[in-house]
């Protein structure tokens, strides 16, 4: 069995990558500055940042592979215009590709999108296609709020998003619904904006009929589904009040939660109320919460430990650590099969 | 022991009350219309709406008393200007006072505030004072987002809010942090906006130092604390990353959660991770989720049942059903003492 972490970001990219971004931002304020060129980053520089961080932790924690995407908090689709977002996005995605090429056994790519507030999502289709068909990526991170905390885009069930969903279905790739940093002082990025976005997206799916139009569309809602599992009774009750079908058929054929919940009681709840077919192992490592829990002596985000404490059957362990990820990301499954790993048929 | 529900709204007010509101809203669109006058609502009309709803359910479920406030979703501070908000707020609060006068054993009042986007919170001080000193109310509902889903007000830790906090401390009343309806299509009111606001407020308290400035300020975060207990490890970890003191001293001397979590596993989690001193029985009844859970045959919002299923000691039962409410709402305690009920000293 492989241990596949469905949620990892390149939060430790070489400093030069951020310097490029800083130059981009400086040029927004002062257009007289030259357009920055992408830095020369050597393979060794990438190795250094990966081997001392994500790969080290992957090994220490006994996991095999991370579905890897650019740092979420710095996607910052609200910074600058669409051209800025596009240049930054391409640089971020190309850097992920280099990590994957250096460690193909351990990382597989998921892309950032060149979203920008007020810009049609159709404009993100080409970058998705490039990343999937040319770079071998297996999914994308879709930001439901490119405004960074002002929520000016329509709900995810709105036809605004349909051109992108059509391409996702055509390419057979899922999206993780993931906001970026917040430029609204009310919302701390990882403490409020992320969790709120997860909760918001789920409720949008209850209200809408998106999966009637796209029965094959698949979303991962990260951070354990935001507030949803804790309030599972509320969501079941709201679906009932709104005359929607029960959640298992209305939403949960298409929506998956990761396990980025940083304490045992939260993980226990997640596995108690959500069908194991809808749960994918994830840690968001190295990410939002980097410290060690004084109550356990272990890293808060070492979520594999919490899962190992559950009394899961071998089949269920396979589902949450490998099988569900292969099902939700068919291109990951295909890549593993191409290496001779057919997985199990459950 | 009394069973005190800390979270009930007058969601069933007589239709005339809404007609008044509708006339207010019509006049926003057409200022040539006359200013509406408050309807004549008889005691019998109020009795009818209470005895067939809140009081009936209170009795059926074996509770004694509700800390009662105007309907939250229709506070709608974003509708019209400050004068509209003030007239509506006063009408709502006066109606609560009439319910309390008719059923003083079963209801005690908490007020809505005449908040309005962009208006100083100091303008809400007089209505708080009127409700507490003249109407005998014991607390208020403070809306952290009077814009109704656009989050244009500063965080609750900002000095913007301090004039109101000073009056809360002077009057020794707590506030439930409660948003109203959402005019942002992204946020379903009870399914996203409410829960997001709870989560957002808690994270603001972690980031800030509000309770250093106001050690006696008390807030109830409703709906079981939003996403917070489920992500308790994340919040402990973020406090650590942000170099804040541990949550028990930094936030939890001043913040309380209610039990509006509509399934047993959620309640189990709440009581597992949150100190019982910080939990107040609440049901939000008659409110957000009105149906019967097909999995249990009981009302989703009959939260007393979930609590009764917990293995609580007698002392802890007293705390969550009565003692904590008396401590957080000292004016409720005083009202009960004036009736000869001194409670227990724990």
């Amino acid at each position: 069995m492989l241990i596949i972490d469905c949620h990892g970001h390149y939060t430790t990219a070489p400093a030069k990558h951020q310097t490029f971004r800083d130059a981009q931002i400086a040029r927004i304020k002062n257009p007289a500055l030259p357009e920055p060129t992408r830095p020369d980053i050597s393979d060794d520089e990438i190795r250094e940042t990966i081997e001392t961080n994500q790969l080290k932790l992957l090994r220490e924690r006994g996991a095999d592979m991370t579905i890897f995407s650019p740092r979420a908090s710095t996607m910052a689709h609200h910074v600058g215009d669409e051209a800025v977002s596009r240049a930054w996005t391409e640089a971020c995605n190309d850097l992920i590709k280099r990590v994957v090429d250096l460690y193909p056994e351990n990382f597989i790519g998921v892309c950032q999108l060149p979203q920008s507030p007020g810009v049609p999502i159709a404009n993100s289709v080409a970058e998705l296609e490039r990343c999937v068909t040319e770079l071998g990526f297996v999914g994308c991170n879709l930001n439901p709020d490119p405004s960074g905390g002002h929520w000016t885009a329509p709900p995810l069930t709105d036809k605004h998003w349909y051109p992108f969903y059509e391409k996702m279905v055509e390419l057979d790739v899922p999206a993780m619904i993931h906001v970026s940093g917040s430029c609204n002082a009310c919302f701390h990025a990882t403490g409020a904006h992320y969790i709120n976005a997860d909760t918001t997206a789920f409720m949008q799916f209850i209200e809408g009929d998106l999966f009637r139009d796209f029965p094959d569309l698949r979303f991962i809602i990260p951070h354990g589904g935001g507030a949803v599992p804790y309030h599972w009774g509320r969501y079941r009750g709201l679906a009932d009040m709104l005359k929607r079908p029960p959640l298992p058929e209305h939403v949960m054929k298409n929506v998956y939660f990761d396990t980025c919940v940083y304490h045992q009681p939260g993980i226990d709840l997640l596995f108690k109320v959500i069908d194991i077919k809808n749960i994918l192992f994830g840690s968001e490592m190295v990410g939002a919460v980097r410290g060690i829990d004084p109550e356990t002596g272990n890293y808060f985000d070492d979520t594999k430990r919490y899962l190992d404490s559950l009394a899961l059957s071998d089949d269920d362990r396979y589902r949450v650590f490998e099988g569900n990820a292969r099902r939700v990301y068919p291109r990951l499954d295909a890549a593993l099969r191409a290496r001779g790993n057919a997985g199990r048929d459950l």
Side-chain angles (χ1 to χ4, degrees), chain A:
Chain A
M1 184 178 76
L2 290 173
I3 309 285
I4 302 171
D5 185 332
C6 78
H7 189 176
H9 300 295
Y10 197 7
T11 48
T12 59
K16 286 177 192 170
H17 183 56
Q18 186 59 44
T19 304
F20 168 70
R21 176 63 166 172
D22 293 342
Q24 259 204 330
I25 294 170
R27 189 165 178 261
I28 298 167
K29 291 172 191 149
N30 180 6
L33 291 170
E35 189 163 349
T37 51
R38 287 206 212 165
D40 278 323
I41 297 175
S42 70
D43 285 352
D44 278 348
E45 287 173 293
I46 292 174
R47 284 194 193 97
E48 163 73 19
T49 64
I50 292 289
E51 292 188 11
T52 58
N53 291 293
Q54 287 84 357
L55 194 59
K56 173 171 168 278
L57 291 170
L58 208 61
R59 286 170 175 155
E60 284 176 4
R61 298 179 185 184
D64 298 297
M65 181 166 207
T66 295
I67 299 176
F68 203 51
S69 61
R71 184 174 198 167
S73 63
T74 51
M75 295 190 298
H77 297 112
H78 58 278
V79 171
D81 61 12
E82 188 181 11
V84 168
S85 178
R86 182 170 306 278
W88 173 236
T89 295
E90 290 170 0
C92 290
N93 289 335
D94 289 347
L95 201 56
I96 293 294
K97 167 67 171 161
R98 291 187 61 196
V99 174
V100 173
D101 283 346
L102 288 171
Y103 306 97
E105 302 292 320
N106 304 112
F107 296 95
I108 197 158
V110 151
C111 65
Q112 172 176 334
L113 298 168
Q115 294 176 252
S116 191
V119 169
I121 192 66
N123 298 14
S124 287
V125 164
E127 179 64 2
L128 176 68
E129 192 146 34
R130 180 182 83 93
C131 290
V132 172
T133 63
E134 296 176 29
L135 308 188
F137 286 16
V138 299
C140 61
N141 290 334
L142 181 65
N143 186 346
D145 172 30
S147 75
H150 294 286
W151 291 91
T152 54
L156 290 169
T157 49
D158 190 276
K159 292 209 159 44
H160 166 85
W161 302 93
Y162 277 30
F164 191 77
Y165 298 156
E166 285 161 12
K167 183 56 69 174
M168 282 173 61
V169 171
E170 180 196 319
L171 295 171
D172 204 10
V173 294
M176 180 172 280
I177 294 166
H178 208 309
V179 288
S180 183
S182 160
C183 61
N184 184 327
C186 286
F187 303 130
H188 184 273
T190 51
H193 192 40
Y194 282 21
I195 305 294
N196 291 352
D198 305 334
T199 309
T200 297
F202 191 84
M203 189 63 211
Q204 290 176 359
F205 295 145
I206 292 181
E207 286 189 273
D209 270 311
L210 181 60
F211 305 120
R212 189 184 56 192
D213 287 350
F214 292 98
D216 296 324
L217 196 60
R218 295 180 304 282
F219 292 114
I220 302 94
I221 300 187
H223 322 108
V228 172
Y230 176 49
H231 286 287
W232 194 236
R234 173 176 286 256
Y235 292 102
R236 290 195 293 109
L238 283 171
D240 176 57
M241 275 180 79
L242 295 170
K243 314 277 186 234
R244 316 308 295 151
L247 297 180
E249 49 188 284
H250 183 50
V251 177
M252 299 309 281
K253 287 178 178 169
N254 304 81
V255 168
Y256 302 84
F257 298 151
D258 75 13
T259 65
C260 296
V261 177
Y262 298 148
H263 63 148
Q264 190 70 48
I267 291 289
D268 293 347
L269 173 89
L270 173 64
F271 280 77
K272 186 156 198 173
V273 301
I274 303 299
D275 192 313
I276 195 138
K277 294 197 306 294
N278 295 88
I279 306 175
L280 275 65
F281 168 60
S283 73
E284 208 183 353
M285 172 268 283
V286 180
V289 176
R290 304 187 185 204
I292 288 175
D293 186 347
E295 293 184 9
T296 65
N298 300 315
Y299 284 101
F300 280 107
D301 67 0
D302 186 357
T303 57
K304 182 168 172 292
R305 282 181 183 270
Y306 310 132
L307 272 63
D308 287 342
S309 295
L310 300 171
L312 296 179
S313 69
D314 282 351
D315 283 357
D316 280 349
R317 277 180 58 81
Y318 175 76
R319 287 185 176 97
V320 73
F321 282 120
E322 177 178 343
N324 294 345
R326 294 176 81 131
R327 189 160 44 84
V328 174
Y329 298 83
R331 287 174 179 268
L332 164 65
D333 182 61
L336 293 173
R337 285 176 188 272
R339 294 174 204 165
N341 180 339
R344 287 172 56 192
D345 196 15
L346 278 186

